[in-house]
Amino acid sequence: MSNNNQAPQLQIDLSPEKASGVYSNFAIISHSHAEFIVDFASTLPGTPKAQVVSRIVLAPEHAKRLAMAMQENVMRYEQEYGKIDLNAQPAMQGAAPKTANPFGSSQGEA
């Protein structure tokens, strides 16, 4: 009799439509006592309205796991590629910033 304590691996089905992803440069996070809601949106400079491209609804436990996983991945990214500087200025006059910041704030807000 084998003593296999490994959990079965979860297989994930990723359709071609979902595999291409959607671009988001803005997120709005809200919550109630029962769930967290993350609206991912896309906006362009000079436009008055952001378009929500995806909404994710999470149980509080999953939201916390996601936050921890994101933090771990940011740390891994910075170890491999260097620190992410939220206050970075464009290298040249008129050059676009490395990441979109539609509100001009250097604060790490969601």
Side-chain angles (χ1 to χ4, degrees):
M1 182 168 174
S2 175
N3 202 4
N4 189 356
N5 291 334
Q6 291 182 341
Q9 261 198 323
L10 178 66
Q11 294 193 6
I12 298 173
D13 184 25
L14 182 62
S15 70
E17 298 81 26
K18 296 288 183 191
S20 63
V22 293
Y23 178 75
S24 171
N25 59 1
F26 178 60
I28 301 166
I29 303 170
S30 56
H31 67 276
S32 70
H33 74 284
E35 60 198 14
F36 280 74
I37 300 162
V38 185
D39 286 327
F40 292 97
S42 180
T43 184
L44 295 172
T47 58
K49 201 174 195 180
Q51 177 71 40
V52 173
V53 295
S54 185
R55 172 174 277 188
I56 307 298
V57 181
L58 301 157
E61 297 84 0
H62 295 304
K64 188 165 187 173
R65 287 185 187 103
L66 175 62
M68 291 168 33
M70 288 295 296
Q71 182 61 42
E72 180 180 332
N73 276 270
V74 167
M75 289 186 329
R76 287 181 185 175
Y77 176 95
E78 290 183 330
Q79 286 173 351
E80 187 170 343
Y81 300 106
K83 184 170 174 47
I84 300 168
D85 185 0
L86 297 178
N87 297 314
Q89 296 297 315
M92 304 183 309
Q93 184 70 9
K98 185 174 168 184
T99 58
N101 187 1
F103 302 104
S105 169
S106 63
Q107 301 286 40
E109 298 174 358

